[in-house]
Amino acid sequence: MFYNSALLTQGFLSTWFQTVWHGLRLDFSACAYCVFPLLIIWLIEEIFKKRFLLLHKIILIFTIILIVAITMVDPELYQKWGNKFNSQVLVYISHPLEMALSAGETNWIKTLFFTIGLIYLILVIYKWILNVIKSQLAYKPINLLWITLLIAINFVILRGGIGVSTISQSSAIYSEKSINNAAATNSLWNALYFIMSNTNDIYSDNLFYLNENDAVLLFKEQLHSSADTTHLFTTKKPNIMVVILESFTASASQYFTGKNNCTPFLDSIARQNLSFMQCYASGDRTEKGLVSVLSGYPAQPSSSIIVFPDKVTKLPAISKSLKTQGYKNYYFYGGDAEFASMKAYLIVQQFDEIIDRQSFNAQELTSKWGAHDEHLYSKALNKLNSASQPFFATIMSLSSHEPYDVPYEDKTLAKDEWYGLKNSIEYADQCLFTFLENCKKQPWYKETVIVLVADHGHDIGLKDVHYFGPEKYHIPLIITGGALNNNYRGKQINHVVSQTIIPHLLLTQLGIPADDFQWQSSYADTAGFAQYHYSNGFGRVSKTQQCLFDNDSKKCYYYRGLKADSFQFINHAKAYQQELIKDFLSK
């Protein structure tokens, strides 16, 4: 709470007392987990009448390291992602370099200050505990009884009581505001839960708000089968290129929102081609965006399907469908394709060639992530010039990712906390424009459809918006290329869509069955919606309504639209999430 005090909207002291009180049971449980191995050693010492001081020290030091690491990761994690340690962090933990780069904008001075203070406090406690353990105790038969009783009491505290159900994070949930609940939730307990949980434990029955029949009916009723009579492409079998733009929030664009002017070249392309003005990302991480764009599968709360190989194999994908039509599939990325299990996903989705940082020479690896966008686009252009047609190419940029170490500096931008993001988006925007201009010079361009879409949105310093508000998930979506029908150049689609429409849109325009892509209405549906999921909640946007719902407090803490329609709108969103979780667990 001290670390993120700027995010608190109530009085600090009153909120602190509430979080302490509501989080007390979980705190006791976390303490019981720490004490449990020490009690077991004490019991063994009484049985064998021998002290194992070294074992005590090892366990204490390990516990201290764990507590300090988790306690200091959580505040910055919450500031960046809006959640504490969860299964999503485990996706990244096997790639420590990329994790460090993602934290490139961390306030290291503040983190260091808090870490030193915490370590000092814990070491004082450690010294006190060690002195107690070192004290000479007489070995008596009655001690075995007392220790056994202590272990039993400790076990009751550990599980949260003697009832049938055990304690969970929900015991600390008391507020509609996620930051209050995050503060009340013990960091150690929360992290251990996700470390020790398996796939089936990620989601509890508490997230199934509706009975199954009602959920299915509500889910189906929101997916309207609008007839699509448009002919967006000039050829029946065009090359298709999907460019996934790292962190390109619509709020960086003058054309899409008027909030900033960091993407003048993208804006120019959008004005001259087919642009979707109200497109929303399905999640908030790159690997989730990749699955949403290529498989049309929505991001899930508290999980990322890409890290489950058995589930990924059951996903459809544009690449799979196009493979049956004679397309050759390429994937280009300047970073490590192994990151967050993306490479495994791409292989399963039948990509013929995966070009990542291993394909670049040392002189091109000038970004901490790998190769900057200018080198990425150059590599992609050279490869596609020699590729057989038709081809399907996915290009994923990275220069606008933290730590924003781009070879470009805009001296007119304000040097505030958002300078790095804005400056890197400007650089990425220029690289994209140069690439597309070079594409126009190639013989295959007139037979090519190009989709430009962000993987996810990003905070960019807008005032008076919710942390998980729709502004963060609003992204650009543009269709361009030589094979775009001239009748649609300069046109805008103004109704709400999700990035998950892309597979269905492309395949139906090519006359390829797209029944496997079931999570979104047709792009032509003027009553369409977009639903996105974050750490443990969802947001939903339609033409007339918006809401944010928290799964912990089970409350809608933001709603905009006609109050008379809010119940049905939120129930539709609950049904959507419920069917998504059910589908995820069944794969």
Side-chain angles (χ1 to χ4, degrees), residues 285-314:
R285 305 306 301 171
T286 297
E287 74 283 354
K288 291 186 177 185
L290 181 67
V291 174
S292 295
V293 169
L294 297 186
S295 292
Y297 197 76
Q300 312 90 56
S302 305
S303 66
S304 185
I305 195 170
I306 201 170
V307 300
F308 301 101
D310 55 328
K311 297 179 183 298
V312 163
T313 58
K314 299 172 185 175

Side-chain angles (χ1 to χ4, degrees), residues 328-332 346 350-355 383 394:
K328 188 166 183 179
N329 300 320
Y330 298 90
Y331 173 83
F332 301 91
L346 295 165
Q350 299 182 13
F351 276 83
D352 298 288
E353 291 193 43
I354 299 171
I355 294 93
K383 185 69 179 178
T394 299

Side-chain angles (χ1 to χ4, degrees), residues 259-436:
K259 304 289 177 58
N260 286 282
N261 191 26
C262 302
T263 59
F265 297 111
L266 183 77
D267 291 357
S268 174
I269 296 164
R271 288 188 188 96
Q272 298 171 41
N273 293 281
L274 180 62
S275 53
F276 293 75
M277 304 303 291
Q278 292 294 321
C279 179
Y280 292 84
S282 181
D284 55 5
R285 305 306 301 171
T286 297
E287 74 283 354
K288 291 186 177 185
L290 181 67
V291 174
S292 295
V293 169
L294 297 186
S295 292
Y297 197 76
Q300 312 90 56
S302 305
S303 66
S304 185
I305 195 170
I306 201 170
V307 300
F308 301 101
D310 55 328
K311 297 179 183 298
V312 163
T313 58
K314 299 172 185 175
L315 289 176
I318 305 173
S319 47
K320 275 184 180 177
S321 296
L322 293 181
K323 187 78 170 177
T324 64
Q325 305 298 313
Y327 280 74
K328 188 166 183 179
N329 300 320
Y330 298 90
Y331 173 83
F332 301 91
Y333 180 46
D336 184 0
E338 296 277 1
F339 180 60
S341 300
M342 291 192 296
K343 188 172 184 178
Y345 166 78
L346 295 165
I347 291 171
V348 168
Q349 304 311 331
Q350 299 182 13
F351 276 83
D352 298 288
E353 291 193 43
I354 299 171
I355 294 93
D356 68 353
R357 65 175 297 155
Q358 310 300 327
S359 304
F360 293 84
N361 59 50
Q363 291 74 29
E364 294 171 319
L365 299 175
T366 54
S367 163
K368 291 179 180 177
W369 280 96
H372 271 304
D373 289 358
E374 57 184 292
H375 303 300
L376 167 69
Y377 291 134
S378 177
K379 177 76 71 176
L381 191 64
N382 289 335
K383 185 69 179 178
L384 294 178
N385 280 341
S386 60
S388 59
Q389 299 183 52
F391 59 73
F392 171 62
T394 299
I395 304 173
M396 199 157 76
S397 74
L398 61 69
S399 289
S400 40
H401 195 293
E402 297 99 333
Y404 312 129
D405 56 337
V406 295
Y408 171 81
E409 183 179 1
D410 183 340
K411 295 181 180 179
T412 65
L413 282 173
K415 293 295 180 73
D416 56 16
E417 63 178 309
W418 302 105
Y419 174 83
L421 173 64
K422 292 178 179 179
N423 185 68
S424 67
I425 289 178
E426 286 189 8
Y427 166 76
D429 181 58
Q430 292 179 15
C431 293
L432 174 66
F433 179 74
T434 302
F435 170 63
L436 293 179

Side-chain angles (χ1 to χ4, degrees), residues 111-127:
T111 302
L112 183 63
F113 172 79
F114 274 88
T115 303
I116 291 171
L118 182 64
I119 289 174
Y120 176 78
L121 177 65
I122 297 259
L123 286 178
V124 170
I125 297 171
Y126 166 76
K127 186 177 179 181

Side-chain angles (χ1 to χ4, degrees), residues 439-489:
C439 286
K440 291 177 181 178
K441 301 172 185 177
Q442 312 310 317
W444 45 261
Y445 179 77
K446 63 180 181 180
E447 300 291 324
T448 301
V449 170
I450 300 175
V451 178
L452 307 176
V453 64
D455 54 351
H456 54 79
H458 202 287
D459 289 326
I460 198 166
L462 301 181
K463 295 180 179 179
D464 303 320
V465 297
H466 287 267
Y467 191 89
F468 294 113
E471 293 84 1
K472 181 178 179 179
Y473 293 83
H474 188 191
I475 59 172
L477 171 58
I478 303 162
I479 298 180
T480 181
L484 176 65
N485 190 326
N486 285 333
N487 292 332
Y488 294 95
R489 296 193 188 274

